[in-house]
Amino acid sequence: MKNKGLIATLAVVVVVLIGVFAYQSGRQSASQPAEETAVQEEVKTVGILQFVSHPALDAIREGVEDALEEAGFEKGKNLNIEFQNGQADQSKLATMSEQLVNKQSDVIVGIATPAAQALANTTKDIPIVLGAVTDPVGANLVADLDNPGGNITGVSDKAPADEQIRLGKELIPDATTVGMLYSSTEDNSKYQVAEATKAAEELGLEVKTYPIPSTTEITQTVQVMSDLVDFIYIPLDNTIANAMPTVVGEANKKKVPIITSVDTMVEQGGLATIGIDQYTIGKETGKMVAEILNGADPATTPVYTFKEGEVILNQDQADFLGIEIPQELYDRATIVGGEEE
Ligand code: TRP
């Protein structure tokens, strides 16, 4: 009797154990397909339209891609990037905008103002993120920086034009005339030239403007202005950035210093700037793309702007031009060229 009772108890225990085990493994195999679908995540498509190739815009694009990866969007896994370079050609920009819309991009990035404007003319639905647009309101891209209102938001790389002009006067104290070199077709430059002109006049500098209609006029324009101005000022202008080696080559023939708006142009032979790191601009842009992919609404996402620029000086150019850099400036500047290379 005793044994029978024991066997019965054991049998119950075994049956219960088998039941629990079967239930558990059943649950596991039921949950496995769910895990697999989680791995096969949705693939997002990000279109990128870059206006033209120059070192600044290339660095911005790199920053965008790196920030996306840091935010968990990996190329070939859950991210597909459609990249187009407009080569500074308006009709190419229009066609490429169409293509990026047709690829059913979830978000499209416009790097530089003319690219962003082409995208804005093509879609009012797909979110557009501005990559380094100097003046998004003036370029008619957003209604208000804090409250963009439509399908567009992004990052402005607006630089401190007044500080840049003051830096020029500090480095070239005898200067009485500054020449503004920029493209007449870029909205971004018009705005900045107006700001720089105001600052220059406040310092008592005479301002001469040299708007160029296309790349072909650059060499001759720089030759002409080099005889008439004490230093050249260049805003965030893509056409000039793309031709920087030519500009530097011509200006150096007459030893005319160039104050730029961006670190990359100082690296290419400008004398100095107070500017924003281009790769950082790209990273901020990429972060915003990720936020929108994760559901943020461009209409209520404020445009990101930078508070402060960094002083960048080209030691080799200063030596070549015979310019003494004040110690105080030297101490807080990032130096390119010179011993560093
Ligand atoms: N801000 C420029 C625009 O709105 C683009 C730009 C970014 C740029 N970095 C630059 C232009 C450096 C010249 C040099 O189009």
Side-chain angles (χ1 to χ4, degrees):
M1 279 293 274
K2 256 190 179 172
N3 269 352
K4 257 192 187 169
L6 194 60
I7 286 166
T9 313
L10 272 177
V12 167
V13 166
V14 165
V15 165
V16 165
L17 278 178
I18 287 172
V20 166
F21 179 78
Y23 174 72
Q24 283 292 352
S25 60
R27 260 170 45 127
Q28 256 175 28
S29 58
S31 68
Q32 252 158 16
E35 268 166 25
E36 266 164 30
T37 31
V39 170
Q40 292 164 358
E41 261 177 289
E42 199 190 341
V43 176
K44 299 281 190 185
T45 296
V46 172
I48 302 180
L49 181 61
Q50 180 174 325
F51 173 49
V52 71
S53 261
H54 59 70
L57 299 192
D58 295 344
I60 291 169
R61 176 196 165 194
E62 221 179 289
V64 170
E65 296 194 6
D66 289 354
L68 276 170
E69 189 168 337
E70 279 168 29
F73 293 98
E74 269 182 65
K75 269 196 279 184
K77 231 174 129 191
N78 57 351
L79 177 68
N80 166 32
I81 292 189
E82 295 288 340
F83 176 73
Q84 303 271 10
N85 184 333
Q87 296 165 337
D89 179 329
Q90 289 301 334
S91 73
K92 280 197 183 128
L93 290 173
T95 326
M96 290 171 175
S97 296
E98 293 284 352
Q99 282 170 1
L100 294 175
V101 168
N102 292 339
K103 297 259 184 199
Q104 290 176 336
S105 301
D106 294 289
V107 175
I108 313 181
V109 183
I111 300 182
T113 301
Q117 287 172 325
L119 290 170
N121 288 335
T122 311
T123 177
K124 303 274 178 268
D125 306 317
I126 300 175
I128 296 173
V129 174
L130 309 174
V133 166
T134 307
D135 180 19
V137 176
N140 274 325
L141 291 162
V142 303
D144 181 282
L145 293 184
D146 289 329
N147 236 319
N151 62 325
I152 307 178
T153 186
V155 175
S156 164
D157 61 336
K158 184 167 162 307
D162 50 348
E163 290 177 39
Q164 291 164 347
I165 293 290
R166 285 199 288 272
L167 176 68
K169 182 69 180 163
E170 193 177 343
L171 287 169
I172 311 135
D174 295 338
T176 57
T177 311
V178 52
M180 312 267 171
L181 178 66
Y182 60 104
S183 150
S184 57
T185 60
E186 291 188 36
D187 282 342
N188 35 302
S189 302
K190 278 176 211 147
Y191 166 83
Q192 201 183 336
V193 166
E195 295 234 315
T197 300
K198 208 167 69 189
E201 286 172 351
E202 274 166 21
L203 291 176
L205 289 165
E206 186 192 340
V207 175
K208 292 184 192 290
T209 50
Y210 297 90
I212 54 143
S214 73
T215 318
T216 34
E217 286 82 14
I218 290 181
T219 305
Q220 210 214 336
T221 305
V222 179
Q223 282 167 359
V224 169
M225 71 194 293
S226 293
D227 285 327
L228 301 172
V229 304
D230 297 316
F231 71 94
I232 296 174
Y233 176 73
I234 305 177
L236 289 163
D237 187 288
N238 297 289
T239 311
I240 307 296
N242 191 30
M244 194 58 186
T246 310
V247 174
V248 172
E250 292 304 323
N252 275 354
K253 288 183 191 162
K254 300 277 169 65
K255 294 206 166 191
V256 181
I258 305 173
I259 299 297
T260 77
S261 297
V262 58
D263 50 1
T264 47
M265 282 194 188
V266 176
E267 280 154 22
Q268 287 179 292
L271 172 64
T273 190
I274 299 180
I276 303 154
D277 178 64
Q278 300 297 295
Y279 178 74
T280 307
I281 295 172
K283 286 203 83 175
E284 289 302 332
T285 308
K287 278 191 217 163
M288 208 179 268
V289 174
E291 279 170 29
I292 291 174
L293 288 175
N294 288 329
D297 179 0
T300 53
T301 305
V303 171
Y304 186 96
T305 52
F306 292 85
K307 300 287 166 285
E308 256 165 57
E310 192 191 352
V311 181
I312 321 274
L313 292 167
N314 186 322
Q315 183 70 61
D316 290 337
Q317 273 303 108
D319 293 346
F320 170 74
L321 298 164
I323 286 173
E324 192 87 42
I325 299 171
Q327 189 62 41
E328 173 275 328
L329 206 53
Y330 198 93
D331 290 343
R332 63 190 169 99
T334 299
I335 310 292
V336 301
E339 309 95 308
E340 282 201 346
E341 280 178 12

